[in-house]
Amino acid sequence: MSRTDRASLLLHTGKDAVFSALTSSDALAAWLPPSGMRGRFERFDMREGGSYRLVLTYENAGDAPGKSSADSDVSEARITQLDPGERVVQEVDFESEDPAFQGTMQMEWKVLPVAEGTIVEVIARNVPAGIRARDHAAGLTSSLANLAALLEP
């Protein structure tokens, strides 16, 4: 049975700024890595049909061994849908020898304008069994908090 994880956050800023942060390599590298990690893109082509390769490196590998190496998680993402100002859908595969991390996870990022600002929602479908639900929830929450710190005054 596949698992779906969700997280969302209200940001007190406009949807254009939020969507830009979801699609810019510099912004993504700044906010997407959860607490305790740093990220870099080896390749980045954010358009429908495009793709990117992201390397997340643990600041302290002893706390959480990586999926791809002792201190890193490497993922290949394909952009399957890009609705400007509204939604980005990606198919993500982790590089890992461990079968528990293999398989394609779909990540859908939605931008929903509301009176108070913008709600950002992420839905992760077909989450690999090796990613514990509580760890994924903490990582998604941390990434959204980083996004808020980047965008809110």
Side-chain angles (χ1 to χ4, degrees):
M1 180 175 185
S2 65
R3 191 178 86 227
T4 298
D5 295 339
R6 298 172 186 263
S8 63
L9 185 66
L10 170 65
L11 301 176
H12 299 283
T13 191
K15 79 172 196 162
D16 291 340
V18 173
F19 192 79
S20 178
L22 294 177
T23 57
S24 157
S25 61
D26 290 341
L28 278 167
W31 70 263
L32 189 59
S35 178
M37 300 185 90
R38 61 186 183 283
R40 67 180 168 80
F41 288 99
E42 291 186 342
R43 183 181 74 257
F44 190 85
D45 181 13
M46 181 58 74
R47 62 178 172 82
E48 197 164 300
S51 64
Y52 62 79
R53 180 178 171 85
L54 174 63
V55 178
L56 295 175
T57 304
Y58 289 89
E59 292 170 359
N60 182 353
D63 291 341
K67 297 171 192 64
S68 306
S69 72
D71 69 345
S72 68
D73 295 347
V74 178
S75 60
E76 287 281 339
R78 293 167 306 286
I79 312 306
T80 58
Q81 274 190 290
L82 194 136
D83 301 322
E86 296 178 16
R87 182 169 69 146
V88 179
V89 181
Q90 309 165 6
E91 292 181 346
V92 180
D93 293 296
F94 292 101
E95 285 188 4
S96 180
E97 296 295 320
D98 186 340
F101 295 111
Q102 294 175 357
T104 301
M105 177 172 61
Q106 182 190 69
M107 300 286 292
E108 179 178 8
W109 294 87
K110 294 181 182 179
V111 175
L112 309 162
V114 294
E116 300 88 349
T118 305
I119 294 174
V120 178
E121 179 182 33
V122 59
I123 305 168
R125 296 178 180 90
N126 301 318
V127 178
I131 300 174
R132 295 186 312 181
R134 69 175 171 221
D135 293 341
H136 204 208
L140 293 172
T141 300
S142 177
S143 292
L144 289 172
N146 293 340
L147 178 60
L150 178 71
L151 295 179
E152 291 181 333

